[in-house]
Amino acid sequence: MTKINIKVVASEGAVLPVYKTAGAAGADICALLKEPVIIESGKSAMIPTGLFFEIPEGYEVQIRPRSGLAAKNGVTVLNTPGTIDSDYRGEINVILINLGNKPFTVNNGERIAQMLIAPVIQGDFSVVENLEKTERGSGGFGSTGV
């Protein structure tokens, strides 16, 4: 288990991330709103959480959609997965987009996304004249079948 220090705007009612089951990979994170936010169909909104993370070097936090919101309302995280780098110390905000057919209301304390903690491996980039050949080669989208 990796320790993540969290500063919480408790005075305003921010909620700590919570794993809902023992086997859950993602911890739910909640909205911290002074008033409900209505996201019209086809529109997006930045939703604050009142949470500030201190992520250890060598890790990231990924923000991902909640399947229930997506399946029932067509609401998902716009930049999924959103990456929070270990050197970021600002408030965690979630960009939600409403892909459903009707307006969606986000209420204070509502579970809006889930977060996963993942290790990060940085690349050591080298410029070369040629790349090793593979069977696939430069075949791109759909080149291996549908």
Side-chain angles (χ1 to χ4, degrees):
M1 186 169 289
T2 300
K3 180 181 179 182
I4 305 290
N5 292 327
I6 301 176
K7 177 182 161 188
V8 181
V9 185
S11 63
E12 296 180 26
V15 178
L16 280 173
V18 175
Y19 292 100
K20 289 295 189 178
T21 66
D28 289 336
I29 55 177
C30 299
L32 179 63
L33 300 169
K34 292 183 179 172
E35 56 188 46
V37 172
I38 298 171
I39 307 173
E40 298 294 334
S41 179
K43 301 294 183 185
S44 63
M46 183 92 68
I47 308 297
T49 66
L51 303 175
F52 300 76
F53 295 163
E54 183 179 309
I55 303 164
E57 189 172 330
Y59 290 88
E60 67 166 327
V61 167
Q62 297 178 3
I63 304 297
R64 297 183 180 186
R66 290 194 61 246
S67 58
L69 279 181
K72 295 175 184 172
N73 301 290
V75 174
T76 190
V77 176
L78 183 58
N79 63 321
T80 190
T83 294
I84 303 168
D85 299 308
S86 64
D87 57 354
Y88 176 69
R89 294 294 184 268
E91 182 177 9
I92 305 305
N93 289 276
V94 177
I95 307 168
L96 291 181
I97 186 164
N98 181 359
L99 300 175
N101 296 324
K102 58 185 179 180
F104 179 78
T105 302
V106 182
N107 294 297
N108 184 49
E110 184 170 3
R111 295 180 295 154
I112 56 170
Q114 58 182 327
M115 58 172 274
L116 279 74
I117 301 164
V120 170
I121 300 172
Q122 291 186 332
D124 180 13
F125 304 109
S126 299
V127 175
V128 297
E129 290 292 322
N130 295 299
L131 302 175
E132 290 184 25
K133 297 200 183 301
T134 65
E135 184 178 329
R136 181 177 182 181
S138 61
F141 300 99
S143 67
T144 60
V146 179

